[in-house]
Amino acid sequence: MLVTSKELFTKAQQEGFAIPAANFFDLDSARSYVSVAERMNKPLILAFAQAHMDMMSLEEAALIGHYLAEKAKVPVVLHLDHGQDEKVIKQAIDLGFTSVMIDASLDPFAENVRRSKAIAEYAHARGVVVEAEIGFVGSGVNYENHDHSDSIYTEVADAVSFVEQTQVDSLAVSIGTAHGFYKGVPKISFERLAELQQAVATPLVLHGGSSSGDDNLHRCATEGISKINIFTDFITAAMKAIEQEKPEDYFQLKIMANRAVEETLAHYYTIFATK
């Protein structure tokens, strides 16, 4: 069933778990995610990033997301991830996405507030929930190894002020993760997470979940994070499966890649203690 994340996040906050946001970029990836969610009877955030619009149009993503979510036997949120262009975000809302992210985290604080508040007002008037980001979850170039993060930690006072001014429905925070591949395991600031969780009633989101370490992610999920984004680990798992099995034809390749993606999501459902 197609839903917003509002009630799902409320339950996640109350019961101490996180919901995976799995980024899809074609029909196969989206279908794989939904099949795992149904098999495990878990909610899913089916996310499509603005950055992936070179692989699939927003209209195609909306059609695929709606079709799979509406026939699913579990709650599925259709979410626009890392929307940076207001026109694209509003188009996603108008196309029926039930959740959108406005990522103005690189803007000065006041501009981030202004842009996020405007999107929240537009979305709320249409029954859509909004995620924004404060601080900055960085990386090197996506898909590139990095041994340090250029992330900017979220300041607690800024987070409180930001939520009050924008009225967004969830807040992506920076506590030590980064997008893309890691050479090692990142150091997460659980002290900062605890401070944010105590100061901000709004559900908290963690970006850059891939390769952040199972122990780290389990702690994040059970200590205040309601949504964790995963993308790179799906790609990595599919590539490893193909390299190891060396499929003889295209159809075998697709089967192996899809199976690896499904196993990865099933693993993270367990790590995130999703209910």
Side-chain angles (χ1 to χ4, degrees):
M1 65 198 83
L2 181 65
V3 300
T4 73
S5 57
K6 209 167 189 72
E7 291 184 2
L8 297 180
F9 285 170
T10 297
K11 182 179 179 182
Q13 283 182 304
Q14 292 173 347
E15 300 185 24
F17 66 86
I19 303 167
N23 280 81
F24 73 99
F25 51 89
D26 62 6
L27 175 59
D28 267 1
S29 55
R31 190 162 47 194
S32 293
Y33 301 145
V34 174
S35 69
V36 175
E38 288 193 304
R39 186 172 73 246
M40 298 183 70
N41 195 30
K42 307 288 187 185
L44 173 69
I45 297 169
L46 192 59
F48 179 74
Q50 179 178 331
H52 293 155
M53 287 174 61
D54 57 341
M55 292 185 278
M56 181 166 59
S57 72
L58 198 58
E59 292 87 352
E60 290 170 321
L63 287 170
I64 289 171
H66 262 266
Y67 173 74
L68 293 174
E70 287 173 353
K71 64 178 290 194
K73 299 175 183 177
V74 295
V76 177
V77 178
L78 180 58
H79 174 71
L80 178 71
D81 191 27
H82 285 290
Q84 297 177 321
D85 184 328
E86 278 85 346
K87 183 178 179 180
V88 171
I89 299 170
K90 289 180 178 179
Q91 183 184 9
I93 293 169
D94 296 340
L95 285 169
F97 280 69
T98 57
S99 173
V100 294
M101 178 189 184
I102 165 71
D103 183 359
S105 58
L106 286 180
D107 289 340
F109 182 83
E111 180 66 2
N112 190 353
V113 167
R114 184 194 69 78
R115 293 178 64 196
S116 299
K117 181 179 180 180
I119 289 296
E121 290 174 349
Y122 185 89
H124 290 165
R126 292 157 179 80
V128 175
V129 299
V130 177
E131 172 187 333
E133 181 173 325
I134 184 168
F136 174 63
V137 178
S139 72
V141 178
N142 208 13
Y143 309 117
E144 190 173 284
N145 285 345
H146 47 88
D147 52 15
H148 69 282
S149 169
D150 60 351
S151 298
I152 302 168
Y153 276 25
T154 301
E155 296 293 337
V156 177
D158 287 347
V160 172
S161 175
F162 185 86
V163 169
E164 288 176 350
Q165 293 184 66
T166 62
Q167 296 298 300
V168 294
D169 303 282
S170 60
L171 184 66
V173 295
S174 178
I175 55 174
T177 57
H179 297 106
F181 297 110
Y182 291 102
K183 288 181 179 178
V185 176
K187 180 176 174 57
I188 305 297
S189 176
F190 291 102
E191 180 180 354
R192 180 60 54 89
L193 173 57
E195 293 169 348
L196 289 163
Q197 192 269 340
Q198 291 169 12
V200 180
T202 301
L204 302 179
V205 172
L206 184 69
H207 286 259
S210 290
S211 304
S212 291
D214 287 353
D215 290 342
N216 279 340
L217 293 177
H218 180 74
R219 282 195 64 183
C220 287
T222 56
E223 296 182 18
I225 294 291
S226 298
K227 166 180 173 272
I228 300 177
N229 283 43
I230 301 291
F231 175 63
T232 303
D233 277 355
F234 293 125
I235 304 302
T236 304
M239 291 171 60
K240 285 182 178 178
I242 292 168
E243 290 170 358
Q244 290 173 0
E245 300 296 333
K246 296 181 173 55
E248 296 180 359
D249 59 49
Y250 175 78
F251 298 103
Q252 286 184 332
L253 181 151
K254 294 287 281 183
I255 291 169
M256 290 174 185
N258 293 342
R259 185 181 302 135
V261 164
E262 292 172 11
E263 290 172 354
T264 302
L265 179 56
H267 171 77
Y268 278 125
Y269 268 128
T270 301
I271 297 301
F272 299 169
T274 312
K275 300 176 184 177

